[in-house]
């Protein structure tokens, strides 16, 4: 049996009276590539936002590598407005921030490119490598973290090479054409070491 990487259970996302995602359940096994398709307004991005901590779902849970990472049930005003199913199935409330979910190994890119515009391609990817740094202000001030910093720089350069942007490493992110900006965003996501 394949190892379960990601599982969504009864995810419902309701904005006031509008139900954007209703009772979505799916799973992704290790090594599997899965597409979530549908027309505009079907809730695809909302589902991704629930998985990555951008939104807290109104109900349901997300498990990553067998561990529950996001969970919620209708609370407060949503109790009276809730139009989804399985209202009382998920009593646990877990709502980690997007950076904590990324640290766990779940990375994402966005529909609209979100790069640091005043930074170079290399700097955009290097920022992502700092997610897993172990240094602190003291060790950084006295350059006691030079080995870790060198490893992060090497990782950033290798991710640029993976997406074919090593020759653009010193170019400002905004100076790159759209296709290269998209690849830069992918390199940045890969630099967070997703599973």
């Amino acid at each position: 049996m394949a190892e379960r990487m990601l599982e969504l259970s009864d995810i419902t996302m309701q904005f006031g009276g509008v139900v954007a995602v209703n009772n979505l359940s799916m799973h992704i096994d290790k090594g599997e590539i899965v597409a979530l398709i549908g027309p505009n307004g079907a809730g695809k991005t909302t589902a991704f936002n629930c998985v990555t901590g951008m939104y807290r779902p109104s109900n349901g849970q997300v498990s990553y590598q067998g561990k529950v990472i996001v969970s919620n049930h209708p609370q407060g005003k949503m109790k009276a407005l809730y139009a989804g199913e399985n209202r009382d199935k998920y009593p646990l409330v877990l709502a980690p921030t997007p950076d904590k979910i990324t640290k766990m190994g779940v990375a994402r890119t966005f529909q609209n490119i979100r790069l640091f515009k005043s930074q170079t391609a290399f700097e955009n990817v290097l920022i992502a490598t700092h997610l897993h740094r172990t240094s602190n202000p003291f060790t950084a001030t006295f350059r006691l973290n030079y080995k870790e910093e060198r490893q992060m720089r090497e990782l950033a350069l290798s991710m640029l090479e993976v997406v074919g942007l090593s020759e653009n490493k010193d170019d400002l992110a905004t100076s790159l054409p759209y296709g290269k900006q998209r690849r830069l965003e992918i390199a940045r996501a890969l630099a967070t070491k997703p599973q």
Side-chain angles (χ1 to χ4, degrees), residues 41-179:
K44 302 177 298 292
T45 301
T46 301
F48 280 107
N49 286 340
C50 289
V51 170
T52 59
M54 298 293 286
Y55 294 158
R56 181 192 303 186
S58 304
N59 192 49
Q61 76 179 21
V62 177
S63 299
Y64 175 65
Q65 294 183 333
K67 180 183 173 193
V68 176
I69 62 169
V70 174
S71 184
N72 202 15
H73 61 276
Q75 304 171 58
K77 291 180 184 178
M78 187 53 68
K79 271 185 170 181
L81 294 172
Y82 187 69
E85 300 172 25
N86 303 305
R87 171 188 303 262
D88 300 317
K89 191 172 177 182
Y90 303 98
L92 181 65
V93 175
L94 277 175
T97 55
D99 62 308
K100 288 189 171 70
I101 291 177
T102 303
K103 239 180 192 174
M104 291 176 201
V106 178
R108 68 157 312 161
T109 61
F110 296 87
Q111 280 179 298
N112 299 323
I113 294 174
R114 295 184 183 183
L115 296 170
F116 298 103
K117 295 177 174 139
S118 64
Q119 304 294 318
T120 65
F122 173 74
E123 291 165 335
N124 264 275
V125 179
L126 183 62
I127 288 167
T129 67
H130 283 80
L131 181 70
H132 297 289
R133 71 169 167 65
T134 58
S135 61
N136 58 48
F138 177 80
T139 58
T141 300
F142 294 103
R143 301 279 299 138
L144 301 173
N145 66 335
Y146 71 94
K147 286 182 184 175
E148 182 180 41
E149 187 67 30
R150 186 179 69 233
Q151 290 170 341
M152 290 187 293
R153 288 176 173 278
E154 289 169 0
L155 175 61
L157 288 172
S158 70
M159 291 300 103
L160 286 170
E161 191 172 319
V162 164
V163 299
L165 292 177
S166 42
E167 71 280 356
N168 299 103
K169 70 181 181 72
D170 296 320
D171 296 342
L172 283 178
T174 53
S175 72
L176 299 173
Y178 180 83

